Each structure stands twice: as C-alpha cells, then as structure tokens.
C-alpha cells in the first residue's frame, strides 16, 4: 500500500524530497520548523466580545494564531451559517488588536477576495477538499492555505488535492488531519494519526491536526492533541469557547479557556522533550 502511494506521488510537487519539511511563515508564526504553532479560537465568530475574550485568553495560554469561522458549512441549512463579511472584519480587528495572525474558512470562490483581504491563512474545509475548481483558484494566490482532509478522503486523494494548489503555483500549503468517517459512533470522527506519520514521510508539506473535529468530544481533545504532537504534527488547531454550553456551533467539542490553558502546559512539556516549542 505504502509503496503504491509513494510511486504515484513520488514525481509530484507534494512529494518528499530530502526528508525536510517545507517551512511556511505567517507573520511571527512558522509551520514546518521547530515551532509547533497552536491555532485556537471559536468554531464560529459569534460576536466581537466573545471573540476578543477568547483571543485574549488563548493568547495568554500560548496560542499564536486565532481561528474563527465567518462562513460555516453546517449540515442543516437552518443552523447558524456565520456572519459572513462582517465576521471577517471582526476577526481581522481582534487579530490585529491581539497581534495574532488569523485563519478562517473559505467556502465559496465568490468570497475569495474578501477572505484574502481579512485573513492571513485561508482554510479549505473538509467538505471542499474535492472542490477542484476552488483548489485551482487557490493555486493562483499568494497566501498560505490550510487544506483539511475530506470526510472520507484517502491519503492519496488528499495529497492530490494539495497537488492542485501547488501545480497552480502556490507552494504555501499546510495539510490538516481532522478525522475521517468510520464505523465508530461514540466519536464524531476517527482521528487518523497514521495519516500524520505517513504524510510526513510521503510529502514535504507541514501537517497540522485538528483534534476538535477529529473527536467531537471535549474530553478527548487533550489526549489526542498530545498524541498528534507525538506522531509528528507540525501544529494544532483547537476550538475554544468562553462558554461552550452557549456556543452557536460545536460547543460539545470546544475547550474552555481554562481547559485550553491546562492542555498548553502539558503540550509545552511534551514538545520540549521533542526538541520543539509552541511559541
Ligand atoms: C471548522 O474548522 O470549523 C470546520 C468546519 O472544519 P471541517 O471542515 O474539518 O469540518
Ligand atoms: Mn467547528
């Protein structure tokens, strides 16, 4: 299996060359080097006060980048869909105030200019990993892209989706493992840490892990964050909400700022043993 995948990707732009991971820099943050940046923030940008409170607390705990969705891919069309452009503006304001680069999801090509204007990294969600016309558009921009693995995507399909962006000329791609569908129902997804270790061997691209969507369960986010780092992840993306019980989306998998802070202390100790750092 591994050999087949290697053969197919070996001649491609995503393929590993000399065993080194490419470094992707965003302001004071670097993915793919000694740093293991932790991105934190709410699932969705709900209002500016909540976002500011979250940003302040996660930054104090050691997060170096702020996340928050303005365009939300919800399973039900009746669920909160995000605040759109005003959400983007809010994210950019709070990020600037806190001196944290920001990341947000782009769902539709027609919002590309707006997301380019307000976000430091463009996130492509699991549901759009197969949107090849969108991936081609991202190949033409000069901004880092976090490409999440599709809900049921094979590693091969995921790497080929990254190849679409690289082939267009944009070399700044960070892969994000966020769990895949399996037979299991206790968890929302099955976080595939095989994929993290394997993709690090197959490709030079940095790989980050989202244990929030990868588990869907707050109490599993900490253990799987630690496991992801041990497996070689180059970063983490973690959902944090000041009052998860009131969250408009994904409250059940969001850490409280206090829980996040405790996790960061554990991560700091672990990454130090590995000769890496979170800040
Ligand atoms: C998210 O990060 O908020 C999100 C919707 O993730 P995914 O695309 O992995 O489901
Ligand atoms: Mn979410």
């Amino acid at each position: 299996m591994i050999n087949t995948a290697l053969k197919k990707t070996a001649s491609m732009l995503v393929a590993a060359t000399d065993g080194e991971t490419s470094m992707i820099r965003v302001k004071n943050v670097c993915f793919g080097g000694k740093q293991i940046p932790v991105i934190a923030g709410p699932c969705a940008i709900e209002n500016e006060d909540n976002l500011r409170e979250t940003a302040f607390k996660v930054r104090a705990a050691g997060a170096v980048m702020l996340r928050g969705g303005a365009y939300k891919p919800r399973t039900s069309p009746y669920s909160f869909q995000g605040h759109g452009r005003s959400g983007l503006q809010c994210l950019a304001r709070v990020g600037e105030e806190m001196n944290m680069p920001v990341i947000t999801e782009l769902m539709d090509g027609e919002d590309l200019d707006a997301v380019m204007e307000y976000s430091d990294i463009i996130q492509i969600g699991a549901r759009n990993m197969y949107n090849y016309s969108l991936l081609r558009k991202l190949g033409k921009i000069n901004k880092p892209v976090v490409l999440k693995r599709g809900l049921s995507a094979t590693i091969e399909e995921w790497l080929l989706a990254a190849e679409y962006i690289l082939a267009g000329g944009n070399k700044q791609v960070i892969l994000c493992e966020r769990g895949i569908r399996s037979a299991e129902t206790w968890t929302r997804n099955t976080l595939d840490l095989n994929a993290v270790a394997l993709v690090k061997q197959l490709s030079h691209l940095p790989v980050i892990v989202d244990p929030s969507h990868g588990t869907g369960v707050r109490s599993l986010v900490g253990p799987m964050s630690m496991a992801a780092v041990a497996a070689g992840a180059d970063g983490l993306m973690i959902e944090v909400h000041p009052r998860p019980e009131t969250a408009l989306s994904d409250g059940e998998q969001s850490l409280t700022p206090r829980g996040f802070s405790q996790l960061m202390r554990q991560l700091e100790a672990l990454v130090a043993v590995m000769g890496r750092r979170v800040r």
Side-chain angles (χ1 to χ4, degrees), residues 3-235:
N3 287 339
T4 320
L6 261 174
K7 242 185 249 159
K8 288 190 196 158
T9 53
S11 58
M12 297 188 192
L13 296 166
V14 288
T17 42
D18 48 8
E20 294 284 306
T21 303
S22 293
M23 292 205 232
I24 296 175
R25 291 188 176 78
V26 187
K27 294 183 174 163
N28 52 340
V29 177
C30 180
F31 295 87
K34 290 264 181 240
Q35 188 182 15
I36 300 183
V38 180
I39 304 166
C43 179
I45 299 151
E46 299 176 351
N47 60 65
E48 194 151 336
D49 287 346
N50 268 3
L51 186 65
R52 187 173 289 109
E53 179 184 350
T54 310
F56 184 78
K57 290 177 173 168
V58 298
R59 187 185 64 168
V64 292
M65 189 174 291
L66 182 64
R67 66 151 285 149
Y71 302 97
K72 294 304 303 174
R74 304 306 300 281
T75 303
S76 166
Y78 307 114
S79 299
F80 175 60
Q81 303 284 307
H83 289 305
R85 182 181 275 268
S86 68
L88 294 177
Q89 291 166 335
C90 174
L91 180 66
R93 257 194 315 273
V94 173
E96 196 148 312
E97 252 176 62
M98 300 286 160
N99 194 27
M100 294 171 94
V102 299
I103 173 169
T104 198
E105 179 168 350
L106 171 71
M107 274 177 60
D108 190 318
E110 78 179 16
D111 301 313
L112 179 60
D113 290 345
V115 174
M116 282 288 287
E117 185 176 347
Y118 296 109
S119 191
D120 298 294
I121 299 192
I122 297 186
Q123 175 177 327
I124 296 303
R127 291 155 192 81
N128 263 322
M129 191 212 82
Y130 290 111
N131 186 340
Y132 298 119
S133 61
L134 186 59
L135 299 179
R136 280 193 197 284
K137 288 194 178 87
L138 297 167
K140 297 291 167 216
I141 63 169
N142 181 21
K143 196 164 268 215
V145 175
V146 162
L147 178 64
K148 286 193 146 196
R149 182 179 182 183
L151 302 171
S152 307
T154 64
I155 291 170
E156 187 90 359
E157 289 167 337
W158 186 23
L159 290 175
L160 287 169
E163 186 78 13
Y164 266 87
I165 305 174
L166 299 179
N170 185 357
K171 301 291 187 268
Q172 301 179 83
V173 177
I174 299 163
L175 297 166
C176 180
E177 163 61 39
R178 48 77 71 207
I180 48 174
R181 288 215 161 137
S182 76
E184 189 46 65
T185 54
W186 278 94
T187 49
R188 179 175 181 179
N189 290 293
T190 295
L191 189 65
D192 183 8
L193 294 183
N194 287 350
V196 176
L198 178 56
V199 168
K200 293 286 297 177
Q201 292 172 22
L202 294 176
S203 175
H204 62 88
L205 297 177
V207 184
I208 67 171
V209 170
D210 170 352
S212 305
H213 294 87
T215 63
V217 181
R218 181 178 309 121
S219 66
L220 299 180
V221 171
M224 296 319 289
S225 296
M226 301 286 280
V229 166
D234 294 302

Side-chain angles (χ1 to χ4, degrees), residues 242-264:
R243 286 160 290 280
E245 63 289 353
T246 67
L248 297 179
S249 60
D250 288 351
E252 62 291 341
Q253 67 192 36
S254 299
L255 296 184
T256 61
R258 179 194 284 266
F260 178 72
S261 180
Q262 288 165 349
L263 170 58
M264 288 302 292

